[in-house]
Amino acid sequence: MAGKGGATPATYSPSPTTDKQKPALFKEDWVRPDGRGFHQCRPAFFRTGAVNAASGSAYAEFGNTKVIVSVFGPRESKKAMMYSDIGRLNCNVSFTTFATPVRGQGSDHNEYSAMLHKALEGGIILESFPKTTVDVFALVLESSGSDLPVVISCASLALADAGIMMYDLVASVSVSSFSKNLVIDPVLEEENCQDGSLMITCMPSRYEITQLTVTGEWSSPKINEGMQLCLDACAKLAKIMRSCLKEAASDSKE
Amino acid sequence: MGLPNAFEDLSSELEVDAFRRLFPLRYFERHLAESIRTDGRPLGKARETSIFLGAVASANGSALVKIGSTTMLTAIKMEVMTPSLESPDEGCLAIDFFMPPICSPIVRPGRPAEASPVVSKQLSDTISSSKMIDLKELSLVSGKAAWMAYLDIYCLDADGALFDAALLSAVAALSHLQIPAVAMNDDGKIVLVSDEDGRKQAQEPVNKEKRKLTLRSIPFSLTCILHKNYILADPTAEEESIVETHVTIVLDTSGQLISLYKPGGPVLAYTSAIQDCVALTRQRVKELKSFLDKENPDMEV
C-alpha cells in the first residue's frame, strides 16, 4: 500500500503493524463488522436546512457515512444551453479529501454524478420549471459504504426542502451478495469483498422504480429476494424521510 | 388567525423583502442610521459562534465551526514523508481550503471560487508566521521520516467572514490533533503501533505514545467592513456584497498583531479606524479563546 511504484516520494499513511489476513467475511458464522443482522439497515438520520445559502438542503447520516446535499434554483440555465420546454436537472457528487480511509481516494467515483441524475430525473416534475435549471450538489463528508444510495435519498429530501415539485420522495437502498447470503445497506469493508451488488432507487408510494443497478454474479431467485428486500427497506426509509420533512414544517410554523 | 389578516401580513413582508433586493444599499444604510444591522445585531458584535471537536471520526484531528450560518469542517490526516535535505528534522503542515459547490450559489462544479486560493494562502501565511506549531515536533527520525500533516478545510455554508471561520476551525482542529503512536519496521517504513500488540513487537518505537502538539500561541481573527464612518464586525455574505472595504486583523492570545489585511476598497482606513478594529478584535480573541478552552479543558497555552 505504502510503497506503490517509484513515483515522486509522496507521503503514505502508516498502516497497522500486524499483517492480519483479511478477515474471512463469508464463513459460515460471520458477524457483520458493526454487529447488525444481515437484513438490518443502519439507523438513518436526516435533517433538512443544513445549508442556509442554498434554496434547499439536507444532511444524512447512516452510521459513519455522512453526506450533505444542496439544491440551487430553479435558476437561469447556462447561456450555451438550448431552449427547453421542460426544466433541466444538473447533478454533481464530490468527496472531501478526508472522506476515504486513504486521503484523496474519493475522486475515483466520477460516475456517481450521472447516476444521481438518472435516479432523480424520473421523480421530478420537470415541466414545473421550464427554461430553468435545478442544481443538485452533493458532498460526501465521510464515506463508509452505501454512499450512492445515501446521496440519492438525501438529494430527494433536499429537493423537497427546496420546494421542487416531485411525484414522490425518492429512496434508495443497496444490498451486497456473499455466496449464499444477502446483506442490506453494506458498509465499506463489506462492499470491498462482495460478490455482487444490487441497488434500487424507487418512489415507494407509487411503487415505481427509477433506477436499478445490478453488478456481479446473481441468480434470478436471488435477484428477486434482493429486490424485495430493497423495496421493503425503501418504503421504511421514505417514512423516515417524510417524518423528517413534517418535523421541519411544524418547527417553522411555530 | 383570520384569513384577511394573514394576507395583509404577507403583503407587507413582501414589500420589505422586495425593497431589500432592489435597493440593498439603501436598505443597509437605513439600518445603520439606527445603529443596527440588517440581522438585528449591534454594529460591533460578532455572530453566535460554536465549536465542535472530533467531528470526523476517521481523521487524527478535526473540528466543526459555525459563525452564524458560515460553517467550516476541518480534518487533519497525518501521513509520513521523507524530510527535505535542508530541514532533516522538521515535519510539514499543508493547509488547503476548499469551497465545494454545496456551500454557495456562486460556486459551480469545475469552476472553483475565486476566494478559495486567496483564503488558502492567507491561512498558511497566518499559521506559519504566528509560530503556533513547532515543525520540529513533527519529526520522527531525523533525515529519514517526518510527519506530513494535511489540514483540509471545507466550507459547508458560506455566509461571510470565511477567513475568520476557516482560521478558527483550523486552530481548533490543531488543538484536537492526536499524533498516533508509530514505530519503524525493518524496511525503514513507519507503521502504526496499536495498544495491545505494541509490546510484542521488536520494532523500535519512534513515537511511543499518542500525543498532542504543543500550541505556543493561538492566532484568532476578526474581519470588519468599513462603510463611511461605520465599522461592522463579522459581516454576513449579504453585507460583504454591499460593502467592498474589508479589514481582517489577526491577533494571537497574548494580544500581539500577527497580520493585518486590507485588500483595497473605496474607503480609506485611517489610523483611528484601524485602532477601533484592533480593539474589536482584541475583545473577540478573548471570546474565541474561552470557547476553545471550553471544548479543550486540558489544553494549556
Side-chain angles (χ1 to χ4, degrees):
Chain A
M1 195 165 88
K4 237 190 271 166
T8 33
T11 54
Y12 63 92
S13 43
S15 51
T17 34
T18 39
D19 283 285
K20 274 179 251 160
Q21 293 291 315
K22 264 200 174 164
L25 264 178
F26 24 8
K27 283 217 183 101
E28 286 310 306
D29 52 342
W30 63 283
V31 221
R32 300 183 67 174
D34 46 8
R36 271 183 291 152
F38 287 2
H39 295 176
Q40 192 184 356
C41 294
R42 290 173 287 184
F45 173 80
F46 290 101
R47 173 72 44 92
T48 54
V51 180
N52 271 332
S55 331
S57 62
Y59 168 81
E61 187 175 320
F62 283 52
N64 272 330
T65 300
K66 297 169 188 168
V67 307
I68 288 189
V69 180
S70 290
V71 172
F72 296 96
R75 59 185 178 183
E76 192 185 359
S77 297
K78 267 191 224 139
K79 293 223 170 66
M81 291 281 195
M82 295 260 291
Y83 171 81
S84 151
D85 286 341
I86 58 166
R88 283 195 171 84
L89 181 67
N90 175 34
C91 298
N92 181 270
V93 181
S94 54
F95 285 69
T96 60
T97 54
F98 44 81
T100 44
V102 178
R103 187 176 176 273
Q105 272 190 342
S107 47
D108 298 348
H109 295 291
N110 294 325
E111 76 279 15
Y112 279 13
S113 302
M115 289 174 79
L116 175 64
H117 182 268
K118 289 286 164 216
L120 293 175
E121 203 179 24
I124 299 174
I125 309 179
L126 293 171
E127 292 78 10
S128 64
F129 49 96
K131 297 185 278 182
T132 51
T133 302
V134 166
D135 288 301
V136 179
F137 298 143
L139 180 68
V140 178
L141 302 176
E142 277 185 82
S143 146
S144 178
S146 307
D147 297 343
L148 186 60
V150 178
V151 166
I152 292 171
S153 310
C154 187
S156 93
L157 205 59
L159 283 164
D161 185 46
I164 307 294
M165 296 232 266
M166 287 188 285
Y167 296 106
D168 186 15
L169 281 173
V170 178
S172 178
V173 173
S174 66
V175 291
S176 284
S177 107
F178 294 91
S179 56
K180 282 181 205 140
N181 298 315
L182 284 179
V183 164
I184 200 164
D185 192 21
V187 294
L188 203 59
E189 294 98 311
E190 291 165 338
E191 280 183 338
N192 286 339
C193 47
Q194 68 195 4
D195 297 334
S197 136
L198 182 149
M199 183 184 90
I200 281 189
T201 305
C202 68
M203 295 187 277
S205 354
R206 294 165 65 97
Y207 211 63
E208 283 176 353
I209 289 180
T210 62
Q211 190 173 51
L212 166 69
T213 56
V214 184
T215 57
E217 212 174 297
W218 290 83
S219 60
S220 353
K222 225 169 149 192
I223 285 194
N224 280 332
E225 192 195 339
M227 279 176 37
Q228 208 46 57
L229 260 175
C230 281
L231 286 173
D232 288 349
C234 282
K236 282 179 192 152
L237 191 60
K239 247 183 228 161
I240 300 177
M241 290 158 64
R242 216 170 282 272
S243 69
C244 165
L245 282 176
K246 274 186 195 153
E247 220 171 273
S250 64
D251 280 356
S252 66
K253 253 184 219 160
E254 273 160 23
Chain B
M1 196 162 64
L3 197 64
N5 197 2
F7 182 74
E8 212 173 85
D9 276 350
L10 192 69
S11 75
S12 72
E13 206 167 88
L14 269 180
E15 245 171 66
V16 173
D17 219 38
F19 184 68
R20 183 180 195 161
R21 294 188 67 150
L22 292 171
F23 308 102
L25 185 62
R26 267 172 63 198
Y27 180 77
F28 178 69
E29 281 182 336
R30 272 207 196 169
H31 277 83
L32 284 190
E34 312 270 328
S35 290
I36 198 159
R37 314 264 287 265
T38 46
D39 56 2
R41 271 186 288 161
L43 303 191
K45 195 165 166 24
R47 288 167 289 175
E48 206 174 294
T49 304
S50 65
I51 303 173
F52 172 66
L53 298 180
V56 181
S58 60
N60 300 98
S62 58
L64 179 75
V65 162
K66 279 191 94 141
I67 298 181
S69 354
T70 300
T71 311
M72 297 284 169
L73 179 68
T74 300
I76 307 176
K77 285 224 171 185
M78 301 294 279
E79 300 204 344
V80 179
M81 62 161 191
T82 314
S84 67
L85 287 173
E86 297 90 66
S87 47
D89 48 4
E90 279 186 10
C92 198
L93 175 67
I95 299 174
D96 247 324
F97 175 71
F98 300 89
M99 288 180 75
I102 63 157
C103 79
S104 155
I106 46 176
V107 188
R108 305 278 176 109
R111 262 190 292 164
E114 270 172 43
S116 82
V118 178
V119 174
S120 217
K121 180 81 176 94
Q122 254 182 295
L123 281 169
S124 339
D125 287 352
T126 305
I127 289 180
S128 67
S129 64
S130 71
K131 305 217 165 47
M132 177 187 180
I133 55 171
D134 183 0
L135 291 177
K136 289 203 166 66
E137 271 190 50
L138 293 175
S139 173
L140 285 165
V141 183
S142 178
K144 287 198 180 124
W147 288 115
M148 173 80 170
Y150 288 105
L151 192 154
D152 294 316
I153 306 162
Y154 277 84
C155 177
L156 303 183
D157 195 349
D159 188 20
L162 298 184
F163 176 77
D164 297 353
L167 181 65
L168 181 61
S169 77
V171 298
L174 283 169
S175 77
H176 176 252
L177 174 66
Q178 284 259 348
I179 301 177
V182 289
M184 186 176 256
N185 70 8
D186 305 335
D187 310 334
K189 281 271 178 300
I190 299 292
V191 287
L192 282 182
V193 183
S194 50
D195 293 336
E196 71 269 22
D197 60 17
R199 311 255 175 275
K200 290 177 256 163
Q201 303 293 328
Q203 294 147 346
E204 155 206 13
V206 274
N207 182 27
K208 285 195 184 97
E209 49 194 35
K210 286 186 184 175
R211 63 187 167 97
K212 290 203 157 197
L213 279 177
T214 351
L215 304 182
R216 283 186 290 193
S217 67
I218 302 182
F220 292 108
S221 72
L222 181 69
T223 299
C224 297
I225 51 175
L226 307 182
H227 181 70
K228 296 184 179 157
N229 289 320
Y230 300 109
I231 299 175
L232 284 78
D234 185 27
T236 60
E238 189 192 5
E239 290 168 335
E240 281 184 349
S241 69
I242 300 169
V243 181
E244 282 164 30
T245 317
H246 304 219
V247 178
T248 300
I249 290 173
V250 187
L251 296 177
D252 71 5
T253 30
S254 58
Q256 250 183 334
L257 181 68
I258 292 173
S259 111
L260 194 156
Y261 186 61
K262 180 188 181 287
V267 178
L268 294 172
Y270 292 104
T271 327
S272 62
I274 295 289
Q275 275 169 351
D276 288 347
C277 289
V278 171
L280 283 173
T281 312
R282 198 158 273 152
Q283 277 174 26
R284 179 70 173 157
V285 167
K286 271 189 206 141
E287 196 182 29
L288 291 176
K289 186 177 181 299
S290 74
F291 288 149
L292 193 57
D293 286 347
K294 220 190 292 166
E295 290 300 310
N296 247 339
D298 50 340
M299 189 176 67
E300 63 225 54
V301 173

